[in-house]
Amino acid sequence: MSVPPREPRLPRAFFARDALVVARALVGCLVVHESPGVAARVARIVETEAYRGPRDLACHARVGLTRRTRTLLGEAGHAYVFVVYGMHDCFNVTCRGVGAGHAVLVRAGEPVTGLGEGVRLDGPGRFALAMGLTRGLDGADVTAPPVYLLSRAKRPRISVTPRVGVAYAGEWADRPWRFLDARSAHVSRPPRGALGRG
DNA sequence: CATATGATTCCA
DNA sequence: GGAATCATATGA
């Protein structure tokens, strides 16, 4: 059994920065989800992507303020959880500040505690599912329970590639805004034909 | 109200 | 390579 993590909790100021900065800084950090009746689920982030507001045509904020983007356009440090392809939840954390529309998508992690050894967290859908981060948590403050993040103990080796699954966004799809722990075996396997290397 | 599409995953 | 499957955005 693992020892409970003792790293400090990430404060709102951590998230109140450009998503590009936050996305890189989150690789290696821990996500904690405490829910009643089960052990706290803890995962180490090994892959993120930055989404940078209305001008970023791959970012949901491009459509302006709607019910879906209400959280995305709100205060930094909140969970932005949405459903994609009618079946998968994606867990993001809002960044920068009100109206910015910045967020970091957590695309993969590796199990730390409360998840079991064989559990796969590679891919945004699998990460959200295993961690129990469903749409009911959309808008939740991630600086306090039940969902919060912990600082990383050591700075990981980072690889950078373009974002996955955003080919529709034209030249914005080519921006190198995906960050991976270069030494982790738990990063997602990009769709066939996608650009990028580990 | 009707339609198109997607920050994915699984199967053949 | 292609299906599954539906919330969301957009246009009639």
Side-chain angles (χ1 to χ4, degrees):
Chain A
M1 298 297 277
S2 308
V3 183
R6 297 188 189 281
E7 283 74 29
R9 208 179 277 179
L10 297 179
R12 191 166 317 285
F14 178 94
F15 303 103
R17 298 179 289 171
D18 193 299
L20 203 52
V21 175
V22 178
R24 182 182 277 272
L26 275 180
V27 177
C29 294
L30 305 179
V31 179
V32 183
H33 183 194
E34 301 174 356
S35 49
V38 277
R41 282 167 279 195
V42 183
R44 179 176 174 274
I45 297 172
V46 299
E47 178 177 343
T48 62
E49 281 177 359
Y51 288 85
R52 302 181 75 202
R55 287 180 30 207
D56 174 5
L57 296 186
C59 181
H60 291 165
R62 69 184 180 277
V63 301
L65 182 59
T66 64
R67 187 157 80 181
R68 185 198 210 185
T69 60
R70 180 183 158 98
T71 303
L72 175 59
L73 288 161
E75 183 184 44
H78 289 255
Y80 170 48
V81 185
F82 63 89
V83 183
V84 72
Y85 297 111
M87 56 188 104
H88 300 295
D89 289 324
C90 291
F91 173 75
N92 308 247
V93 180
T94 57
C95 299
R96 217 170 87 154
V98 175
H102 281 218
V104 171
L105 168 67
V106 178
R107 286 191 56 88
E110 48 190 40
V112 176
T113 64
L115 289 165
E117 302 225 345
V119 176
R120 293 178 59 185
L121 301 166
D122 52 321
R126 275 192 286 264
F127 179 89
L129 179 65
M131 286 293 288
L133 301 170
T134 60
R135 204 165 42 125
L137 286 162
D138 181 57
D141 188 338
V142 297
T143 64
V147 180
Y148 54 93
L149 293 90
L150 302 179
S151 176
R152 60 193 180 197
K154 294 177 183 175
R155 167 190 284 257
R157 186 73 159 197
I158 306 274
S159 296
V160 184
T161 81
R163 295 174 291 184
V164 173
V166 296
Y168 61 87
E171 62 178 271
W172 293 89
D174 300 328
R175 303 294 173 97
W177 292 351
R178 173 173 175 245
F179 301 91
L180 309 97
D181 179 339
R183 300 202 208 287
S184 176
H186 294 256
V187 298
S188 73
R189 182 175 66 79
R192 187 190 148 144
L195 301 175
R197 330 252 172 286

